[in-house]
Amino acid sequence: MTDFPTSSSSSFDVDPVSSSAILAKNIRVGSSSCSPLLIMKMWAFFFVGLLCTHLSPVSARIGASDSSRTQPTERISGSAGDVLEDDPVGRLKVFVYELPSKYNKKILQKDPRCLNHMFAAEIYMHRFLLSSAVRTLNPEEADWFYTPVYTTCDLTPNGLPLPFKSPRMMRSAIQLISSNWPYWNRTEGADHFFLVPHDFGACFHYQEEKAIERGILPLLQRATLVQTFGQRYHVCLKDGSITIPPYAPPQKMQAHLIPEKTPRSIFVYFRGLFYDVGNDPEGGYYARGARAAVWENFKDNPLFDISTEHPSTYYEDMQRAVFCLCPLGWAPWSPRLVEAVIFGCIPVIIADDIVLPFADAIPWEEIGVFVDEKDVPNLDTILTSIPPEVILRKQRLLANPSMKQAMLFPQPAQPGDAFHQVLNGLARKLPHGRSVHLKQGQKILNWTAGPVGDLKPW
Amino acid sequence: MKLSALPQSYMNRRNNSFRGPSAPSDSSPDGAMKSPAAMFWLVLHGLCCLISLVLGFRFSRLVFFLVFSTSSTAPTTTNLFTASPLRQAAEISGNLEVRSSPVAAGGALLVNKTVPRVVVGRHGIRIRPWPHPNPVEVMKAHEIIERVQREQRAQSGVKNPRAVIAVTPTYVRTFQTLHMTGVMHSLMLVPYDLVWIVVEAGGASNETASILAKSGLRTIHVGFDQRMPSTWAERHKLEAKMRLHALRIVQEEKLDGIVVFADDSNMHCMELFDEIQNVKWIGALSIGILVHSSTMTDESESSTIQQVAEEENWPVPVQGPACNSSNKLVGWHTFNTQPYEGKAAIYIDDRATVLPRKLEWAGFVLNSRLVWKDTEDKPEWVNDLDSLDGVDYVESPLSLVKDPSVVEPLGSCGRQVMLWWLRVEARSDSRFPPRWVIDPPLEITVPSKRTPWPDAPPELPSTEKAMNIRDNQVVKRPTKTRSSRSKRSSRSKRKHEARIAETEIRGKHTDQN
């Protein structure tokens, strides 16, 4: 993508993001034309620039309408700035590969439960991209390439996904796209992105030791991974990955909303396992002992409403609680975070080094409470020593509707939701750096790397 | 890198639990026939089981970690931090070896730049020395909850809440403490500023003052120079006059707020006080009328009343505003007195039903500025308070307005019932200890006839004033020198045996006064 002159952009710093988007779009239109049209390009540039100064104040104010809600909210801006409400349309173009239906549709037909479990994001993202405005049918102008392969849809009778065939499936899909289209080999996947929402992302295993041993699939080492797993300094989290929240059914949660003025009378709320008796009878492996520590220390504490039951009023209870615990399980992430954000309950995240969804757009430190696993025995002291003003501020941030939208995957897609945040994240990675495009004949990927079992065809 | 001989499966998490070493006794008889290696293995297996039983956790995995570990990275140790005695067994068996995550098996492609701080493997379950609630923490948590709820109320509730002015006509009688305590506690819970104007028939008395003193509310206690008459009709008139007197006080003191007519025998819901904040000038609420028919009457009466109730589609008669589908006031639901024709109580002591008026004062709330003199922003449909001075009986606050259509229906147009009307009084000749303090204490205790106590006298002493004797109950009875003492005891049990007329049994739902 050609660079546009930056000297004249100083007059447009009212809303730099949207103005640059409009400018970029404009430049793209003219980029394929030949040089005599350059002058026309310049005129168009200035004209659009003038328009920008009038239009951008309007776009910046879209988010300010949150005062119409009865609860006062605060604007959320993470390390990347105030980007939750950005519109990705016009900032990037995505080309969706047409894979044979055995990679996506047929798998879904075999087991439609894949639409409801917490890994359903891969399916809904595909559907969203097919009908989105960022989709382009011309791969030459695409910034990103998406491969719709549902690797997390091979379910046991219980509903848990088996990852054993996923590496082979992914590998087979990549072989297909690299042989049928030239775009994979051009960059060896550096401008491709994949959705891998499984427990440990592209390591494709549910057990952490095994996942670490396998590491990320070698063929994906240059691609951008969009995954739910995030833990710093972990093998299965690649630099430049985009962390997304797990899928939680939006209608189900909306159906259980209670009036906002219901007073929050539960101090700490948690429902779930503390010991995984089936797989870790002695304790100490599951959740690195953190959940067991919560139980042992606080089981008789009246402030902590914790148990292993499955009440029918789970969502309603969360709306009546001030803090909701989100400890790690076998993997550090969980749908509890999404539920806590939707229901306005401050999430207490007990998972060392976790990377939370959209960490550059959402300042999680200001919204949730982070507790080290070693500090779990002092959880009550930690929570009661938070000043009330801080707690009220966190509740205000949680009440921001753009925050709640960013955690959801609604159908049909709505502005500001998780789909758009993923696209925003991809757009923030543009323009692609120099290392993306490989020179002729340059090869980095080793197609025979990995365990022998992965090399079998799928 | 685990030895394949180990009976472990990675499908553990996906399948049902596979407990490691099972009881050895199951398989031993057959195994003895097999080779000595299998025999040795079985023995080792059994030994491991026994050790596991003693220690309390699965021992074999630990052993293989220690013995067969070929990990290239230096084993790190984690010290267990727990106080649980079972866990200390792990320390007995040596330091735990935990593998830090090795470099990815796929080659040198993904080299970790830093050593991860979080390691995979068994961690201890940290329990603090005294894992029980700390009272200081609990109090702090409650303060936090209180603050959060206050904020919630501030946001979802009313902006700029106005003060509430409660007007209560009362007089000293047996049931006064009962009723006034109820109203007092309701008003104490109101989260807004409150002024309680208590108008007392027969002059301000110490009885009432002592009740009001307990409330801690801002009260204005005035006396009204007439005594409560003995017919219901007259009583209603007097109460209306007393309420107007209270409104006069509001006028004189220029009290600002919303006037609520909180009769002392009514029951109020807390949402009522939130709802009335929505009133602009004059509002109307729905009252649930709890009218009881005396249970001594025959069945046919109650059935007719029930029929009427069914016709109206309401299990309890409700008096209040009636709205059409566009939520505009079109009329009033009033109490249907037809079934009670001829059976209504006229005198205080009548055993018949006490009926409410057509529209009770309690169902209306006013903006106090309506009764102020000389304010500019009073609407023109307001009658001056002075114009009501000479009127004999002001039925309801509707007399204050020229046009009843300006009344605002509250409580989702009368659909929510937030207060209940109930007249319950004792007989007019019933006595009670002043301020409900029995002083000096009663002297004579007379056990009942059928008492199991050994020192019971065989015969009851007969007295002029007979007592209500209940089974196994002790009745404290004054000596004859004291005259005015209550003859009533608990009214939970009813007996149909008539004693002397003046001590006749009171019904479950007590009588009128």
Side-chain angles (χ1 to χ4, degrees):
Chain A
M1 204 178 100
T2 57
D3 287 331
F4 49 89
T6 53
S7 56
S8 39
S9 63
S10 56
S11 56
F12 309 128
D13 35 0
V14 176
D15 188 7
V17 175
S18 65
S19 60
S20 67
I22 297 175
L23 285 169
K25 190 173 179 186
N26 187 47
I27 295 298
R28 192 198 310 284
V29 167
S31 65
S32 51
S33 58
C34 44
S35 46
L37 288 169
L38 208 67
I39 296 172
M40 229 171 79
K41 210 163 47 163
M42 297 293 283
W43 275 115
F45 173 72
F46 280 115
F47 176 69
V48 170
L50 278 172
L51 266 181
C52 267
T53 52
H54 293 290
L55 286 179
S56 45
V58 173
S59 61
R61 227 173 275 133
I62 293 172
S65 63
D66 52 359
S67 54
S68 59
R69 275 175 63 94
T70 49
Q71 197 167 11
T73 59
E74 270 189 40
R75 293 207 61 83
I76 293 180
S77 58
S79 57
D82 194 355
V83 295
L84 269 186
E85 282 157 24
D86 282 352
D87 189 12
V89 174
R91 297 172 63 201
L92 80 165
K93 292 244 173 264
V94 176
F95 176 74
V96 182
Y97 284 121
E98 284 271 341
L99 289 185
S101 55
K102 72 166 180 168
Y103 290 98
N104 30 55
K105 288 206 188 67
K106 287 231 181 85
I107 299 182
L108 186 57
Q109 268 168 6
K110 252 192 286 179
D111 199 342
R113 280 180 303 174
C114 290
L115 283 172
N116 300 320
H117 66 177
M118 49 188 172
F119 310 101
E122 56 182 7
I123 302 171
Y124 291 119
M125 191 74 187
H126 182 202
R127 292 187 180 179
F128 164 69
L129 283 173
L130 283 176
S131 55
S132 156
V134 300
R135 182 190 185 190
T136 168
L137 296 167
N138 177 7
E140 290 297 329
E141 61 168 8
D143 301 301
W144 287 101
F145 294 83
Y146 172 61
T147 318
V149 51
Y150 301 165
T151 53
T152 335
C153 204
D154 181 17
L155 303 186
T156 66
N158 276 351
L160 295 167
L162 292 172
F164 302 120
K165 297 204 200 122
S166 309
R168 288 160 50 197
M169 184 158 55
M170 185 64 87
R171 190 193 166 79
S172 146
I174 294 178
Q175 271 169 340
L176 199 91
I177 60 175
S178 65
S179 48
N180 290 3
W181 287 274
Y183 308 105
W184 176 269
N185 291 327
R186 197 170 65 168
T187 56
E188 296 238 287
D191 53 358
H192 289 58
F193 70 93
F194 295 85
L195 257 95
V196 280
H198 194 248
D199 288 3
F200 287 97
C203 292
F204 291 123
H205 209 278
Y206 51 79
Q207 212 188 25
E208 194 169 354
E209 291 155 326
K210 260 294 188 175
I212 292 172
E213 209 181 291
R214 294 178 54 95
I216 296 182
L217 198 69
L219 289 177
L220 291 175
Q221 61 151 299
R222 281 171 62 86
T224 296
L225 298 175
V226 179
Q227 58 190 44
T228 49
F229 171 75
Q231 191 177 307
R232 279 190 284 273
Y233 320 122
H234 198 276
V235 174
C236 298
L237 179 69
K238 201 163 90 71
D239 262 344
S241 300
I242 297 177
T243 337
I244 57 171
Y247 175 74
Q251 285 88 5
K252 195 169 157 210
M253 292 199 286
Q254 299 289 348
H256 285 272
L257 286 176
I258 60 178
E260 242 181 49
K261 61 185 179 120
T262 314
R264 288 187 187 262
S265 45
I266 303 175
F267 192 58
V268 176
Y269 187 76
F270 176 75
R271 288 287 182 271
L273 291 176
F274 299 102
Y275 292 95
D276 188 353
V277 196
N279 302 301
D280 177 31
E282 307 97 23
Y285 265 99
Y286 179 55
R288 294 196 276 270
R291 286 195 185 197
V294 168
W295 175 252
E296 298 298 338
N297 281 297
F298 302 111
K299 59 187 175 214
D300 59 354
N301 195 321
L303 300 174
F304 284 67
D305 186 355
I306 56 180
S307 91
T308 53
E309 283 183 5
H310 282 272
S312 54
T313 54
Y314 176 61
Y315 290 143
E316 287 86 347
D317 291 341
M318 271 191 145
Q319 293 169 77
R320 292 198 302 116
V322 178
F323 291 105
C324 288
L325 293 184
C326 302
L328 72 160
W330 286 108
W333 57 269
S334 104
R336 276 185 192 86
L337 181 71
V338 177
E339 289 159 359
V341 168
I342 300 294
F343 295 128
C345 179
I346 301 176
V348 179
I349 295 148
I350 307 173
D352 287 346
D353 282 342
I354 188 174
V355 175
L356 289 175
F358 309 127
D360 51 349
I362 300 177
W364 286 105
E365 287 283 328
E366 292 175 31
I367 293 171
V369 179
F370 286 82
V371 177
D372 285 341
E373 287 163 32
K374 63 175 170 42
D375 291 330
V376 165
N378 304 321
L379 190 59
D380 57 348
T381 316
I382 295 172
L383 291 180
T384 53
S385 60
I386 303 177
E389 307 83 42
V390 172
I391 293 180
L392 292 175
R393 175 159 187 264
K394 287 186 201 279
Q395 289 187 324
R396 279 198 297 274
L397 285 167
L398 282 169
N400 195 335
S402 51
M403 175 78 201
K404 297 195 207 271
Q405 269 288 72
M407 291 283 114
L408 289 175
F409 293 94
Q411 280 85 47
Q414 286 159 20
D417 63 7
F419 299 118
H420 290 87
Q421 303 303 329
V422 172
L423 293 177
N424 283 337
L426 290 170
R428 283 196 287 276
K429 294 183 85 177
L430 294 174
H432 290 300
R434 297 222 165 269
S435 59
V436 161
H437 291 275
L438 301 177
K439 293 190 267 290
Q440 202 68 12
Q442 184 185 9
K443 288 247 175 282
I444 299 181
L445 286 184
N446 180 356
W447 284 75
T448 54
V452 176
D454 284 359
L455 301 174
K456 288 193 217 142
W458 182 72
Chain B
M1 66 126 246
K2 304 259 187 310
L3 291 189
S4 55
L6 269 183
Q8 283 194 3
S9 160
Y10 284 118
M11 290 301 288
N12 274 357
R13 272 177 61 213
R14 303 301 178 194
N15 299 333
N16 285 329
S17 89
F18 172 78
R19 298 257 171 193
S22 49
S25 57
D26 296 336
S27 51
S28 43
D30 276 317
M33 308 304 176
K34 301 213 172 110
S35 66
M39 192 57 206
F40 162 75
W41 197 248
L42 271 171
V43 168
L44 185 64
H45 204 79
L47 199 64
C48 284
C49 284
L50 284 172
I51 300 177
S52 303
L53 275 174
V54 166
L55 286 179
F57 64 93
R58 207 163 65 189
F59 175 68
S60 52
R61 207 176 192 194
L62 189 62
V63 169
F64 282 103
F65 259 121
L66 290 171
V67 174
F68 291 112
S69 167
T70 57
S71 165
S72 55
T73 57
T76 56
T77 61
T78 57
N79 285 324
L80 294 181
F81 185 78
T82 66
S84 163
L86 278 178
R87 314 282 173 216
Q88 282 167 2
E91 286 175 307
I92 296 170
S93 58
N95 286 329
L96 255 186
E97 285 186 355
V98 174
R99 274 192 310 169
S100 54
S101 53
V103 178
L109 298 170
L110 303 160
V111 178
N112 288 334
K113 298 183 191 60
T114 52
V115 175
R117 295 186 318 164
V118 180
V119 291
V120 185
R122 181 190 299 286
H123 294 244
I125 299 174
R126 296 183 161 93
I127 305 177
R128 63 189 189 198
W130 198 67
H132 296 293
N134 180 346
V136 174
E137 307 289 340
V138 174
M139 282 319 298
K140 277 202 262 186
H142 281 291
E143 278 162 34
I144 291 176
I145 294 177
E146 173 58 43
R147 182 73 187 84
V148 165
Q149 288 185 1
R150 218 170 349 135
E151 187 70 21
Q152 274 184 286
R153 261 200 303 271
Q155 274 153 27
S156 59
V158 185
K159 319 280 175 226
N160 312 319
R162 290 177 278 176
V164 173
I165 303 168
V167 169
T168 307
T170 185
Y171 66 104
V172 179
R173 76 265 194 212
T174 312
F175 270 50
Q176 185 201 27
T177 312
L178 178 83
H179 294 315
M180 289 294 278
T181 312
V183 176
M184 177 175 83
H185 283 121
S186 301
L187 295 178
M188 279 160 75
L189 285 174
V190 172
Y192 309 108
D193 294 330
L194 188 87
V195 178
W196 193 11
I197 304 181
V198 179
V199 184
E200 189 172 350
S205 69
N206 286 338
E207 282 275 342
T208 319
S210 67
I211 300 173
L212 297 183
K214 287 187 261 188
S215 68
L217 299 167
R218 185 180 152 203
T219 50
I220 299 177
H221 181 197
V222 290
F224 200 73
D225 284 331
Q226 277 176 270
R227 295 205 53 200
M228 271 294 187
S230 50
T231 57
W232 283 109
E234 294 296 316
R235 282 210 171 178
H236 288 301
K237 282 191 199 170
L238 185 63
E239 280 170 6
K241 286 211 186 89
M242 282 161 46
R243 293 187 186 107
L244 284 173
H245 187 68
L247 286 178
R248 178 80 53 202
I249 296 177
V250 172
Q251 186 186 60
E252 279 162 22
E253 309 245 345
K254 281 216 175 318
L255 295 174
D256 194 12
I258 304 170
V259 178
V260 181
F261 296 103
D263 292 348
D264 57 2
S265 59
N266 290 353
M267 191 55 55
H268 309 88
C269 192
M270 282 304 111
E271 281 80 1
L272 171 76
F273 298 101
D274 294 326
E275 182 66 26
I276 59 175
Q277 296 284 337
N278 297 332
V279 80
K280 202 158 166 296
W281 288 114
I282 173 166
L285 296 155
S286 287
I287 317 180
I289 305 290
L290 300 174
V291 174
H292 83 283
S293 51
S294 170
T295 48
M296 297 271 274
T297 58
D298 51 322
E299 303 304 308
S300 59
E301 208 180 80
S302 48
S303 63
T304 48
I305 294 168
Q306 218 175 14
Q307 262 171 18
V308 171
E310 278 160 24
E311 280 162 25
E312 289 176 344
N313 295 328
W314 274 327
V316 163
V318 171
Q319 196 185 73
C323 293
N324 62 5
S325 53
S326 55
N327 286 344
K328 286 226 182 325
L329 183 70
V330 293
W332 304 95
H333 292 297
T334 58
F335 185 73
N336 184 4
T337 52
Q338 243 200 344
Y340 301 94
E341 285 295 310
K343 300 190 204 98
I346 301 178
Y347 286 96
I348 304 304
D349 285 339
D350 284 355
R351 294 197 153 282
T353 324
V354 181
L355 297 177
R357 299 289 91 196
K358 267 188 26 201
L359 285 175
E360 283 283 327
W361 277 76
F364 292 92
V365 288
L366 309 173
N367 187 338
S368 64
R369 288 175 194 245
L370 279 182
V371 298
W372 284 9
K373 271 200 218 272
D374 314 323
T375 40
E376 298 82 29
D377 52 347
K378 253 186 358 183
E380 42 324 311
W381 40 257
V382 164
N383 287 330
D384 217 18
L385 194 58
D386 301 328
S387 64
L388 299 174
D389 263 347
V391 177
D392 185 33
Y393 179 31
V394 182
E395 261 214 30
S396 74
L398 285 178
S399 318
L400 276 175
V401 301
K402 296 190 181 96
D403 177 19
S405 64
V406 297
V407 174
E408 306 149 36
L410 297 174
S412 31
C413 212
R415 278 190 281 275
Q416 278 178 313
V417 174
M418 289 177 283
L419 74 149
W420 293 269
W421 179 95
L422 172 68
R423 277 328 278 257
V424 173
E425 299 291 350
R427 283 170 55 111
S428 56
D429 54 348
S430 78
R431 318 279 186 157
F432 64 98
R435 298 195 209 178
W436 288 97
V437 174
I438 301 178
D439 183 34
L442 303 172
E443 286 175 12
I444 294 202
T445 332
V446 180
S448 76
K449 195 171 183 177
R450 289 184 270 282
T451 178
W453 295 303
D455 48 62
E459 282 293 322
L460 281 168
S462 63
T463 61
E464 266 181 36
K465 298 185 192 248
M467 292 158 298
N468 290 329
I469 310 289
R470 308 281 181 250
D471 281 338
N472 302 323
Q473 251 184 12
V474 171
V475 176
K476 291 199 196 291
R477 177 190 161 241
T479 56
K480 290 187 190 149
T481 53
R482 297 169 203 279
S483 52
S484 53
R485 286 287 175 195
S486 169
K487 296 178 288 293
R488 291 173 292 122
S489 60
S490 98
R491 59 198 74 229
S492 57
K493 298 197 179 76
R494 270 191 51 186
K495 289 204 174 13
H496 286 278
E497 308 145 321
R499 304 260 177 185
I500 305 178
E502 62 178 353
T503 61
E504 192 142 29
I505 297 132
R506 300 208 164 102
K508 255 188 225 178
H509 315 286
T510 55
D511 307 344
Q512 309 87 1
N513 187 358

